[in-house]
Amino acid sequence: MDNIVLPGVGIPGGMHGGLPGGPGGQGGPGGPGGPGGQGPAPLPPQMFTTSSQLLDLTDKKLLVALRDGRKFIGVLRTWDQVPNLVLQSTVERIIVDDIYCDIPRGVFIVRGENVLLLGEIDLDKEDQITQQLAPVEQVYNRQHEIQRERKRKEKISRRRLLQEGFENETEITVL
């Protein structure tokens, strides 16, 4: 991957044709600013890991995983610098064990700080899902069973820790 050069970066006051650091300005060829005075210093490509990378994903089908564990599939229509995302034709996918369901959500706005992971869906492999599509009620019921079982095990674990002398997380000891 080629290094990306930003006009005016590392070039004190160079201007050419309204662009900083262009030829004829202080940052142009032979001017100060780059290594050996050869123009602006290139920036490594890893500097651009923010919302500018979303440009290639615009109008493509994405899977967006949120910090709270929810997963959304939709077409990225627009985004901003945070980056907040606007997804169209969005479905919320709930996967429990070997079953899943899709709940239609329509146009969906995702706050950027809640995005854990996002990626483009390979449309050729989209139908190769190993789980079985199930009715929403069946998936919800299974999800609630798993949550109840997890809470029961956590309660037993906390009780054992208390018996061993560990304090409960929710208790505050004032000295």
Side-chain angles (χ1 to χ4, degrees):
M1 179 181 274
D2 292 337
N3 285 342
I4 299 170
V5 178
L6 286 183
V9 175
I11 304 160
M15 293 291 292
H16 171 65
L19 296 174
Q26 291 181 348
Q38 298 299 316
L43 293 176
Q46 60 269 24
M47 293 280 299
F48 301 97
T49 57
T50 58
S51 61
S52 64
Q53 289 184 328
L54 292 174
L55 187 60
D56 292 337
L57 296 175
T58 303
D59 296 328
K60 295 193 177 156
K61 195 169 189 180
L62 303 180
L63 169 71
V64 180
L66 302 184
R67 293 187 319 173
D68 65 1
R70 294 184 293 168
K71 295 165 195 69
F72 294 94
I73 296 173
V75 178
L76 179 64
R77 288 299 177 202
T78 190
W79 45 271
D80 62 14
Q81 71 276 4
V82 175
N84 297 312
L85 309 174
V86 177
L87 301 173
Q88 184 179 24
S89 305
T90 307
V91 294
E92 180 177 359
R93 178 158 292 175
I94 300 174
I95 302 171
V96 180
D97 295 334
D98 59 344
I99 59 175
Y100 78 96
C101 68
D102 288 338
I103 303 169
R105 299 293 187 198
V107 175
F108 203 81
I109 298 173
V110 180
R111 189 174 176 140
E113 66 184 28
N114 293 322
V115 175
L116 178 66
L117 175 80
L118 67 92
E120 183 178 356
I121 293 179
D122 186 347
L123 299 177
D124 295 332
K125 296 181 180 180
E126 182 179 15
D127 296 330
Q128 299 173 2
I129 299 174
T130 58
Q131 293 91 1
Q132 295 294 318
L133 181 63
V136 175
E137 297 81 19
Q138 181 182 352
V139 175
Y140 272 148
N141 290 339
R142 182 67 184 131
Q143 188 177 40
H144 290 298
E145 287 174 21
I146 290 171
Q147 288 173 349
R148 279 193 300 271
E149 181 65 19
R150 186 178 299 136
K151 285 182 183 179
R152 186 186 69 77
K153 287 181 180 179
E154 285 176 10
K155 190 174 181 180
I156 292 170
S157 176
R158 268 188 304 228
R159 205 175 298 142
R160 287 181 184 158
L161 289 172
L162 282 172
Q163 290 172 352
E164 296 294 325
F166 291 94
E167 292 184 13
N168 195 344
E169 292 177 354
T170 57
E171 291 180 5
I172 299 175
T173 305
V174 180
L175 298 175

